[in-house]
Amino acid sequence: METIELKINGRKRTLHCLPNATLVEVLRDQLHLTGTHVGCDTTQCGACTIHVDGCAVKACTVLAVRSDGSDVMTIEGLAENEASHPMQEAFKACHGLQCGFCTPGMIMSAVDLVNKGCALEPSAIREALSGNICRCTGYQNIVAAVMQGASEMQEQSS
Amino acid sequence: MSGSLIGKRVLRKEDHRFVSGKGRYTDDIQLVGVTYAAFVRSPYARADIKSFDVSEALAAPGVIAVLTGEEVVKDGLGGLPCGWMIHSKDGSEMRQPHHPVLAADRVNYLGEPVALVIAETQLEAKNAAEMVMVDFEPLTAVVNPATASQAETLYEAVPNNVCYEWELGDEAATDAGLAAAAHITTLQLTNNRLIPNAIEPRAALAEYNSGTDEIILHTTSQNPHLVRLIMTAFVQIAPEHKLRVIAPDVGGGFGSKIFIYSEETALAWAAKKLGLTIKWTAERSESFLTDAHGRDHVSEAQLALSAEGEFLALKVKTIANMGAYLSTFASAVPTYLYGTLLAGQYRTPAIYVEVDSVFTNTAPVDAYRGAGRPEATYLVERIVEKAAAEMGLDPAELRRRNFIGRDQFPYQTPVALEYDTGDYEASLSKALEMADYDTFATRQAEAASRGKLRGIGLSCYIEACGLAPSQVAGALGAGVGLWESGEVRVNPTGSVTVLTGSHSHGQGHETTFAQLVADRLGLPIEDVEVVHGDTGKLDFGLGTYGSRSLAVGGSALSVAADKVVEKGRKIAAHLLRTDVDNIDFDAPVFKMLDSNESKTFQEIAFAAYVNHDYPSDELEPGLAEKAFYDPLNFTYPAGTHICEVEIDPDTGVVEVVQFVAVDDFGTIINPMIVEGQVHGGLAQGIGQALLEQAVYDDTGQLITGSYMDYCMPRADNFPDFKVGMTCTPCTHNPVGAKGCGEAGAIGSPPAVMNAITHALGGIEVDMPATSEKVWRAVQTMRTLKTA
Ligand code: FES
Ligand code: FES
């Protein structure tokens, strides 16, 4: 067992895990943060996307021990003070989800692409989201949601 | 107030939990004392099992038990049955090989489970599964459906590997039509095998309570009652009342979570046998190997036309791959969900179809979004478009000449169905307009100036949904009636709990069904809560598939809501000391005629539970009503899809540059949700046309066993879809709804492929139209041009 320290959704945690445990396993099984999902075994679907030190990362592909000392944010930590994040609101408003399984990963990727200054036009968003698979929505409403969520994020920060 | 919520873009009630990470999918459920299962699977497509040696695995750290196919035999478990009996032309029953929960002596497809290991942790279970020694003796596998009937026989009881040889229609009349034709168009095609790929993998969590002898199985199911019925009545792991099946939040299904699989069944059995709580979640590679695949047809067809382009006859011969075993509904898919749809939107007077279903050493094949209807539509709409090209007719015009007219309903087709209503011309003309069909030549010329080949393709699809009128289904071989149950339970304060046998795994029932009931009763939608997916809470239900939820499950709720109103009128009459005929329900108020007196819905609800002066022989307390709704006919959603593609001749890359879908789903409760269903279906249909294909090699190894090899549609594969609606309400259900879940996947593949064929000047490629295939076709086209 290894001991690691992480800041998770703003709170410091000390954890014990196997050296081969992935970050998503620790989040789901030890911390019961089950909003981060696992949809594949080849780093292809993006259902597990979270933020580590402010950047979108596929949590199925990071060993927990490698993130020792990191600041981790999952979908559960995105909303501040119980109010939804504008990207979460936009996904609801634009019907950007159906079964909801890909949704936490999509939202975490979407917030990241806005933070990174991705051009806010459909073709750029489609390309930026191509690491996240959704089998339900056909992506159209996800793209609309990201456009709307992005402009609200920008408004809030200005 | 009634009518005020129908047709409104109400935002989804379920979304808050999903966007905040609070969804509760099977693998999210954490139970104290849980153990984990891992399956041992066949590495061969076909092999004899000589022996099992579990000693090393049993000695591995954390291992609690190892169960093999031998224990399944010892415990006398039944096989996994297929629920639909098909008869061959000669009247004989279809052949059904025994489908074991775990194989004991022979494996018949790659990944077939032969044992499961249960351990304290998931990692320990997976490690120990590698230590189970199974002595396999590999046998030659039969993989290709087209030649399976001439290959080595796989099961003694299934001569020539043929499940059935089915036919529908009038062969003599069809041959006469072909003989009288001025023109005959022929077509050979394959409908590519697909892997459903719901993003949540299958999972199960089985707990056993020895105190009550009850098993609770949480699982990724589209129809938990069917899971319970089959596991208890057929596999016989427990009495039906001692198994509760809960399908919590489910991350997509598309058909693949209808079926009763080995893994979930084995888990429930093992939980009881060992007195444990056991969890299993499929890895994606297990999903690729063992989720029932879809499509996989090889067909040839002839369409007979008069000199004026009138369809005279259609003759079709199809070979359908069933895989290694008959999955739950597999036998019905290439027959009653396929052959019956070959009339399409047309008046073709004579149709004859033969379907040979064969077994191969591949994963079982069953219903996948559309199930049979995409295969029928693909064939009909490809051959119609080809006929138009051959006869020099505009493809829209050729279709128009053959449409069933809007005044010809109800319309009896030569392939068993009676369409209740439709207006095919309306969808076609709206789609042509939205697609700027008339100005295509301009866009084509502009594309040519950039060196691109641009093509346009149409598809006018029809499907039969709302499964199913039980009498008809029963006569056709269905093992169960296909009604649906619903309950409207009014609570004493006037809020309402709606219980439905339908299941939502993305479709938004918690919103649409609440809208429907809130509208009928005149209540705010916040006051209506929908409960689904738990055999412990609901009456028997048949679940969600075949776009049936609103048309059948919604109709049950509509009838139940009407019964609530009737009961409410009686209560109001009692309270107002008048005759029930004097009470009118003007949602949400019960009014006494010719007076100012009335009772609100809340007053009636409260009175229903708290009053103590009911005339007990006339009026029972309480306000909760149930309905079991059995549809009178199928419903027939239909529409026109138009696709425009551009091909880069140097690379063969196909880009969908415009896609128009105009659909007639009858009455729409929530257009936002319906459009979302269309978008999702289109992505799967276009995915089939351009990207997706399950490939086995000659030995039955799956080449496309991960997202690295199986090409999933991603956001950058599509343009924004243009979606439009027309409406002819269903004539025989109280909601007027026809179903919208599958249309996108049904209508789009032929539209895409017709557009590609058009761009390639008539050269045909099979789905998926990968850049390699298209590039080769471009080379052929160039050779033909210069020759
Ligand atoms: S689970 Fe699929 S990318 Fe991480
Ligand atoms: S909403 Fe179901 S996978 Fe995206």
Side-chain angles (χ1 to χ4, degrees):
Chain A
M1 282 284 172
E2 308 285 321
T3 302
I4 56 170
E5 275 190 24
L6 293 175
K7 195 163 158 203
I8 294 185
N9 297 333
R11 194 172 140 204
K12 274 230 163 81
R13 305 290 297 255
T14 303
L15 299 164
H16 308 286
C17 64
L18 289 172
N20 60 354
T22 60
L23 188 50
V24 73
E25 285 166 353
V26 168
L27 291 173
R28 290 182 57 81
D29 300 341
Q30 285 193 41
L31 298 170
H32 297 186
L33 291 169
T34 54
T36 303
H37 298 150
V38 176
C40 74
D41 43 17
T42 51
T43 318
Q44 288 283 312
C45 76
C48 61
T49 308
I50 59 169
H51 293 179
V52 175
D53 296 329
C55 284
V57 160
K58 289 179 173 175
C60 69
T61 312
V62 183
L63 289 174
V65 289
R66 288 299 299 262
S67 35
D68 188 14
S70 306
D71 187 345
V72 172
M73 180 154 71
T74 69
I75 189 74
E76 289 92 343
L78 193 59
E80 274 176 66
N81 310 323
E82 293 302 302
S84 290
H85 186 278
M87 195 58 79
Q88 291 172 313
E89 284 304 313
F91 268 70
K92 289 193 235 174
C94 299
H95 187 32
L97 63 149
Q98 290 181 23
C99 79
F101 197 79
C102 72
T103 310
M106 280 288 179
I107 291 177
M108 298 310 280
S109 290
V111 170
D112 182 66
L113 73 85
V114 178
N115 287 341
K116 291 214 174 104
C118 169
L120 294 180
E121 43 152 284
S123 63
I125 291 173
R126 284 178 182 275
E127 204 177 311
L129 285 179
S130 63
N132 291 70
I133 300 177
C134 173
R135 193 53 150 171
C136 298
T137 62
Y139 302 102
Q140 185 153 333
N141 290 346
I142 291 178
V143 174
V146 176
M147 299 276 283
Q148 179 169 325
S151 66
E152 275 155 28
M153 277 170 72
Q154 286 167 348
E155 239 163 65
Q156 280 194 5
S157 64
S158 65
Chain B
M1 180 136 175
S2 198
S4 64
L5 280 169
I6 303 295
K8 292 277 151 47
R9 294 175 177 269
V10 176
L11 296 186
R12 298 203 321 170
K13 288 162 78 83
E14 46 269 77
D15 283 354
H16 182 67
R17 67 177 188 271
F18 294 134
V19 300
S20 52
K22 297 288 159 43
R24 194 163 170 270
Y25 302 88
T26 299
D27 189 64
D28 299 343
I29 300 170
Q30 319 259 359
L31 295 176
V32 178
V34 68
T35 65
Y36 295 86
F39 285 86
V40 180
R41 300 182 180 281
S42 169
Y44 301 105
R46 184 166 172 245
D48 278 329
I49 300 173
K50 293 293 176 194
S51 64
F52 290 97
D53 179 357
V54 302
S55 50
E56 194 189 340
L58 266 178
V63 172
I64 301 164
V66 180
L67 299 174
T68 71
E70 287 172 347
E71 272 80 26
V72 168
V73 174
K74 263 183 236 151
D75 280 11
L77 294 194
L80 299 169
C82 175
W84 204 301
M85 173 53 70
I86 301 295
H87 289 88
S88 284
K89 293 171 209 177
D90 64 5
S92 62
E93 293 191 343
M94 70 181 185
R95 308 242 158 74
Q96 192 174 175
H98 175 66
H99 186 178
V101 174
L102 299 173
D105 45 25
R106 166 77 65 85
V107 287
N108 288 296
Y109 67 96
L110 181 76
E112 181 170 359
V114 299
L116 83 161
V117 175
I118 295 139
E120 300 291 349
T121 71
Q122 197 173 54
L123 191 64
E124 287 166 341
K126 284 182 182 177
N127 283 341
E130 309 255 309
M131 298 174 197
V132 174
M133 295 298 157
V134 188
D135 186 4
F136 289 107
E137 189 170 289
L139 301 166
T140 311
V142 174
V143 179
N144 184 352
T147 52
S149 65
Q150 293 106 53
E152 187 185 340
T153 292
L154 301 178
Y155 305 98
E156 228 169 90
V158 187
N160 305 322
N161 304 320
V162 174
C163 178
Y164 51 75
E165 292 170 321
W166 179 83
E167 65 176 352
L168 183 67
D170 185 336
E171 185 175 19
T174 305
D175 286 340
L178 283 161
H183 181 85
I184 295 177
T185 295
T186 61
L187 184 68
Q188 271 114 34
L189 44 77
T190 62
N191 204 291
N192 42 329
R193 184 176 178 119
L194 303 176
I195 301 179
N197 274 304
I199 300 301
E200 180 203 22
R202 281 192 291 126
L205 172 61
E207 13 167 1
Y208 176 68
N209 181 334
S210 59
T212 58
D213 192 32
E214 191 188 28
I215 307 168
I216 300 181
L217 176 67
H218 303 259
T219 187
T220 46
S221 174
Q222 301 179 214
N223 42 0
H225 284 89
L226 211 60
V227 172
R228 186 181 65 166
L229 180 67
I230 289 183
M231 286 189 186
T232 57
F234 293 88
V235 189
Q236 300 190 314
I237 58 171
E240 194 174 5
H241 59 288
K242 292 294 184 189
L243 174 63
R244 175 175 171 192
V245 180
I246 301 172
D249 285 330
V250 173
F254 317 110
S256 69
K257 291 172 181 167
I258 299 172
F259 320 122
I260 318 305
Y261 291 94
S262 291
E263 291 84 356
E264 292 85 334
T265 311
L267 226 67
W269 163 68
K272 178 168 176 176
K273 187 178 171 72
L274 305 169
L276 292 173
T277 297
I278 313 173
K279 186 186 251 187
W280 166 77
T281 301
E283 291 180 11
R284 178 57 56 185
S285 52
E286 293 181 281
S287 313
F288 273 103
L289 292 173
T290 64
D291 286 6
H293 295 182
R295 318 287 190 251
D296 209 351
H297 284 196
V298 185
S299 298
E300 49 188 45
Q302 295 167 282
L303 178 66
L305 299 101
S306 73
E308 292 72 42
E310 195 187 342
F311 302 162
L312 303 176
L314 176 66
K315 192 169 188 178
V316 178
K317 169 91 197 197
T318 293
I319 295 171
N321 192 354
M322 296 285 99
Y325 301 107
L326 278 185
S327 173
T328 315
F329 286 119
S331 57
V333 174
T335 50
Y336 291 109
L337 296 176
Y338 168 72
T340 51
L341 273 304
L342 289 169
Q345 301 186 353
Y346 312 110
R347 296 186 313 270
T348 317
I351 299 174
Y352 178 70
V353 52
E354 289 175 286
V355 179
D356 294 354
S357 281
V358 296
F359 292 105
T360 59
N361 296 115
T362 61
V365 179
D366 205 328
Y368 166 65
R369 201 168 195 168
R373 293 150 292 175
E375 295 90 317
T377 301
Y378 185 58
L379 186 138
V380 172
E381 291 306 297
R382 284 285 309 271
I383 203 166
V384 165
E385 194 112 334
K386 186 175 182 185
E390 287 177 350
M391 296 182 75
L393 290 167
D394 177 272
E397 174 54 25
L398 178 64
R399 287 178 169 88
R400 278 193 172 113
R401 285 185 199 174
N402 289 282
F403 274 163
I404 298 162
R406 83 184 62 141
D407 51 359
Q408 290 178 301
F409 295 97
Y411 187 86
Q412 177 65 53
T413 74
V415 276
L417 298 178
E418 188 187 87
Y419 300 167
D420 64 331
T421 181
D423 187 346
Y424 308 138
E425 173 57 40
S427 319
L428 175 66
S429 32
K430 184 162 180 177
L432 292 172
E433 199 184 305
M434 284 170 65
D436 288 322
Y437 186 73
D438 293 340
T439 57
F440 171 75
T442 320
R443 297 191 292 283
Q444 189 178 34
E446 188 277 328
S449 75
R450 289 181 281 113
K452 298 283 175 75
L453 304 169
R454 190 158 175 136
I456 190 164
L458 275 69
S459 157
C460 298
Y461 75 93
I462 190 162
E463 48 170 333
C465 294
L467 270 59
S470 294
Q471 277 197 9
V472 178
L476 300 180
V480 287
L482 287 166
W483 42 264
E484 191 51 272
S485 68
E487 180 176 348
V488 175
R489 194 183 286 172
V490 183
N491 303 312
T493 56
S495 67
V496 172
T497 305
V498 168
L499 301 104
T500 173
S502 296
H503 184 270
S504 182
H505 29 281
Q507 297 90 340
H509 295 6
E510 289 169 41
T511 305
T512 305
F513 285 11
Q515 257 177 282
L516 179 70
V517 172
D519 179 83
R520 290 288 146 99
L521 301 179
L523 302 174
I525 190 166
E526 297 74 37
D527 288 1
V528 181
E529 196 71 18
V530 176
V531 175
H532 63 96
D534 184 347
T535 63
K537 291 184 182 164
L538 314 165
D539 281 314
F540 195 89
L542 285 153
T544 289
Y545 40 85
S547 308
R548 70 191 298 271
S549 290
L550 185 60
V552 190
S555 291
L557 291 174
S558 172
V559 173
D562 288 346
K563 290 185 185 175
V564 163
V565 169
E566 277 320 294
K567 176 87 181 274
R569 287 177 62 223
K570 285 186 196 156
I571 296 171
H574 173 71
L575 297 177
L576 296 170
R577 313 252 172 261
T578 182
D579 194 82
V580 68
D581 293 337
N582 285 335
I583 301 291
D584 197 26
F585 182 59
D586 183 5
V589 181
F590 293 88
K591 288 185 176 152
M592 189 163 136
L593 296 178
D594 308 321
S595 91
N596 296 333
E597 295 209 70
S598 66
K599 292 282 173 193
T600 65
F601 187 81
Q602 281 72 19
E603 286 173 316
I604 294 299
F606 199 65
Y609 292 95
V610 301
N611 265 31
H612 26 67
D613 64 342
Y614 288 132
S616 55
D617 48 339
E618 288 163 33
L619 196 55
E620 289 174 15
L623 190 55
E625 296 289 343
K626 288 179 183 180
F628 286 76
Y629 180 80
D630 199 350
L632 299 170
N633 189 354
F634 294 92
T635 60
Y636 299 97
T640 294
H641 292 186
I642 302 178
C643 178
E644 255 177 81
V645 297
E646 275 188 15
I647 293 171
D648 180 339
D650 297 331
T651 61
V653 169
V654 178
E655 188 189 353
V656 174
V657 287
Q658 173 169 277
F659 201 101
V660 170
V662 175
D663 301 288
D664 176 358
F665 298 135
T667 304
I668 287 172
I669 308 287
N670 188 324
M672 176 192 81
I673 288 177
V674 168
E675 286 163 15
Q677 289 293 309
V678 173
H679 296 161
L682 293 177
Q684 286 179 354
I686 299 170
Q688 171 172 27
L690 296 180
L691 308 169
E692 298 180 40
Q693 181 169 28
V695 181
Y696 283 94
D697 73 8
D698 292 345
T699 67
Q701 291 293 320
L702 183 64
I703 305 291
T704 52
S706 84
Y707 287 147
M708 314 292 276
D709 323 289
Y710 185 93
C711 189
M712 288 287 282
R714 293 173 187 263
D716 55 354
N717 293 121
F718 305 110
D720 263 4
F721 307 125
K722 297 184 187 173
V723 173
M725 305 284 163
T726 58
C727 179
T728 58
C730 169
T731 58
H732 57 77
N733 70 43
V735 182
K738 298 182 181 179
C740 67
E742 297 162 297
I746 293 170
S748 57
V752 176
M753 297 309 290
N754 285 339
I756 292 172
T757 313
H758 185 229
L760 293 173
I763 294 177
E764 293 167 7
V765 294
D766 263 324
M767 298 191 289
T770 58
S771 42
E772 184 201 333
K773 280 190 213 165
V774 173
W775 181 85
R776 287 184 192 283
V778 171
Q779 306 316 306
T780 314
M781 186 174 83
R782 285 181 171 161
T783 321
L784 289 176
K785 264 195 193 150
T786 48

